[in-house]
Amino acid sequence: MPETADVVIVDEDQHFDVHPPVSAALPAAIGRPTRSHFRWKTAAAWLIVLAISIASLAGGWWIRRQTFDLFDAIHFENDIRRGSMWGLICNGPEGFRNQYDKMELEADHWEEWHEWLDYAPLRLLVMTRWADWIRTTYPTVVSESSPSSVYRNVIPFEDRGSGRPDHLEASYQFHRPLLLFNATMDAIGAA
């Protein structure tokens, strides 16, 4: 640091006081924070934010899982069955886009059609991807069942809502891809 001149103070009565420079009067340790000191504080703050974010994500996922298990008895099973059914049908020989054409042909008789397709294309695409996973994970059940009964055959009625850990785990494993997708969409929406 370059040397600075002494400060001369003159008051009204023409008294002269000579003071040493301010920087010489202060100990070196009390000086201005250095750049590395600032960087460490910034890094520490970001590490705290990161730790809180990770803890929040892990805690949120744990709460989602506990909620899924706690309310197993009141899952909307008809919608689950219909979602897996439409996904499996779209994986079949008629394909994804033909389902809407087929519904248009049957529009005049929609009251008679029990399984009316009321899914938007993106929702149907999600169900189709889930059905790919179902077909891979439960190949025997899919090959031996109609698309509308796969859910009933994977998770029998008496196992639903029982609260037994093995039944809860089977239900969670069946729904896991959809739950992960929903959690991912929630996280993106929260960001």
Side-chain angles (χ1 to χ4, degrees):
M1 181 172 216
E3 288 289 311
T4 56
D6 291 343
V7 177
V8 177
I9 299 176
V10 180
D11 62 10
E12 293 176 1
D13 297 327
Q14 296 298 320
H15 292 104
F16 292 94
D17 258 345
V18 178
H19 296 281
V22 176
S23 61
L26 295 174
I30 301 178
R32 204 168 75 199
T34 62
R35 285 184 187 255
S36 64
H37 182 72
F38 178 72
R39 287 183 185 143
W40 279 107
K41 281 186 174 183
T42 303
W46 279 112
L47 286 174
I48 290 170
V49 168
L50 179 65
I52 290 171
S53 298
I54 290 171
S56 297
L57 286 171
W61 185 255
W62 182 82
I63 289 171
R64 286 175 91 87
R65 174 64 195 264
Q66 298 306 312
T67 304
F68 182 81
D69 288 348
L70 181 64
F71 294 103
D72 183 56
I74 59 171
H75 290 170
F76 190 47
E77 295 176 5
N78 189 41
D79 195 41
I80 296 166
R81 182 188 60 75
R82 287 186 71 229
S84 63
M85 178 201 74
W86 278 114
L88 289 166
I89 289 173
C90 287
N91 281 332
E94 293 179 349
F96 177 82
R97 291 185 357 198
N98 291 333
Q99 297 309 313
Y100 293 102
D101 295 338
K102 183 173 82 174
M103 287 294 113
E104 186 178 344
L105 294 174
E106 298 177 8
D108 295 336
H109 307 287
W110 70 269
E111 290 101 2
E112 301 167 14
W113 184 248
H114 179 66
E115 300 298 340
W116 183 254
L117 179 60
D118 61 349
Y119 287 7
L122 286 176
R123 184 176 184 196
L124 186 59
L125 180 64
V126 170
M127 293 301 136
T128 304
R129 296 298 127 230
W130 180 41
D132 286 339
W133 180 87
I134 292 171
R135 193 178 297 279
T136 304
T137 308
Y138 304 100
T140 307
V141 174
V142 171
S143 66
E144 296 174 358
S145 306
S146 68
S148 63
S149 63
V150 167
Y151 175 65
R152 293 182 190 130
N153 293 337
V154 171
I155 304 172
F157 182 76
E158 58 274 2
D159 292 354
R160 294 182 229 151
S162 68
R164 289 186 34 202
D166 56 333
H167 295 166
L168 292 174
E169 185 61 29
S171 177
Y172 177 76
Q173 289 305 322
F174 183 77
H175 297 94
R176 188 169 186 265
L178 284 181
L179 296 173
L180 289 172
F181 177 78
N182 288 342
T184 302
M185 292 296 108
D186 287 345
I188 291 170

